[in-house]
Amino acid sequence: MATRRVVAITGASSGIGRATALRLARNGAAVAICARRADRLERVAAEIAAAGGEPLAIAADVTREADMEQFVAGAVERFGRLDVMVCNAGFGVAGAIDEIAPAQMQELLDVNYTGTYLAARAALRVFRRQGHGHVIVVSSIVGKRGVPYMGAYAATKFAQVGLAECLRAEVAGSRIFVSVVYPVSTDTEFFDVMTERTGVEVARAFGPRQDAATVANAIARAIEHPTPEVYPHFNSRFLVVLNAIAPGLTDRIVKRFGRKPIR
Ligand SMILES: NC(=O)c1ccc[n+]([C@@H]2O[C@H](COP(=O)([O-])OP(=O)(O)OC[C@H]3O[C@@H](n4cnc5c(N)ncnc54)[C@H](OP(=O)(O)O)[C@@H]3O)[C@@H](O)[C@H]2O)c1
């Protein structure tokens, strides 16, 4: 990394957020991290320091506007500026649309969509003042192409993409960048949380997998060379192309290889 970046990451107490924080710490970045579990966050902060980065851990809930404002203000106060906001916090629930309770749908929207909006919004005000910045939204490959029994989750991931694409067009030509990351199934605590939130054991679907470090490396590259779309698993972009050309055929493919009914 040529210059020391100041990066804020939501949902960094585990998984992709934690891996990204540690990856950037190895380049000496200043990394502000947030999540709800303060104890886990403190452990990640210690790992960041041990890896060569400068940590700032702030316990925060992405669904609360005041928390996101304080998270960004805290990072700017400590490090003097903010270069990148990684909107990463999120979770999943599996099930057919009629099996998902309205309260579950609302909670998914609150964390995955509204949490992204609030974190990006708080950072944008700083980016506009500075005249530069980079919003990175961690969506999912199911934010490009829905798969069976993930409709509620996929809807929130599509919503993130819509928000990011509009913002990207608004800031085009400026020194504010917007990237969307589309991971495939990634080895994190995501599936444990999904089982807990769904209320029944949720097995992984058939399909490509990757580790969190692979996604973190892709995010680190995007910070160095901002690109609109980041596919940490190279071949996953062919699903997007196939869906654009032949959505009906893609329906049959994702039905055959995707998640099966869980109840
Ligand atoms: N794993 C996959 O297969 C996969 C694939 C594609 C996309 N993704 C996306 O990648 C992102 C990260 O997920 P992951 O796989 O790393 O899962 P993870 O290991 O479960 O991490 C999720 C993170 O989000 C945080 N979080 C959840 N709710 C929050 C809230 N209300 N406020 C603040 N932080 C909150 C969690 O921390 P606390 O519980 O401590 O708050 C945790 O740090 C998510 O947006 C997910 O949709 C994951």
Side-chain angles (χ1 to χ4, degrees), residues 33 37 63-64 79 95 102 108 111 115 121 128 131 140-141 145 162 207 219 224-225 229-230 255:
I33 53 174
R37 290 171 294 177
T63 66
R64 296 194 188 132
F79 301 121
L108 279 164
V111 176
R121 182 174 185 269
R128 290 198 205 277
S140 165
I141 196 64
R145 167 63 226 198
I219 292 173
E224 287 308 304
H225 307 285
E229 302 203 327
V230 179
K255 179 166 187 178

Side-chain angles (χ1 to χ4, degrees), residues 150-168:
M150 290 300 283
Y153 171 70
T156 69
K157 295 282 136 182
F158 270 80
Q160 288 178 299
V161 176
L163 185 82
E165 284 185 352
C166 293
L167 176 61
R168 201 167 67 226

Side-chain angles (χ1 to χ4, degrees), residues 91-93 104-113 152-153 156:
F91 74 99
V93 174
Q104 283 179 308
M105 183 71 243
Q106 189 58 53
E107 214 178 337
L108 279 164
L109 280 165
D110 288 347
V111 176
N112 297 358
Y113 169 69
Y153 171 70
T156 69

Side-chain angles (χ1 to χ4, degrees), residues 10-18 34-38 40-41 60-63 68 87-92 110-112 138-142 153 157 160 181-191 193 197 204 210 212:
T10 68
S13 61
S14 68
I16 291 169
R18 171 181 169 273
C34 82
R36 292 161 305 172
R37 290 171 294 177
R40 293 280 299 260
L41 215 48
D61 186 328
V62 293
T63 66
M68 289 303 95
C87 305
N88 166 75
F91 74 99
D110 288 347
V111 176
N112 297 358
V138 180
S139 175
S140 165
I141 196 64
V142 306
Y153 171 70
K157 295 282 136 182
Q160 288 178 299
V181 186
Y182 299 98
V184 297
S185 183
T186 308
D187 297 327
T188 66
E189 295 174 21
F190 182 85
F191 294 93
V193 175
R197 297 280 198 146
R204 275 173 181 274
Q210 64 199 351

Side-chain angles (χ1 to χ4, degrees), residues 17-51:
R18 171 181 169 273
T20 302
L22 299 183
R23 170 67 182 76
L24 299 173
R26 290 208 306 273
N27 294 106
V31 192
I33 53 174
C34 82
R36 292 161 305 172
R37 290 171 294 177
D39 54 337
R40 293 280 299 260
L41 215 48
E42 286 304 332
R43 265 185 268 157
V44 177
E47 292 179 291
I48 290 170

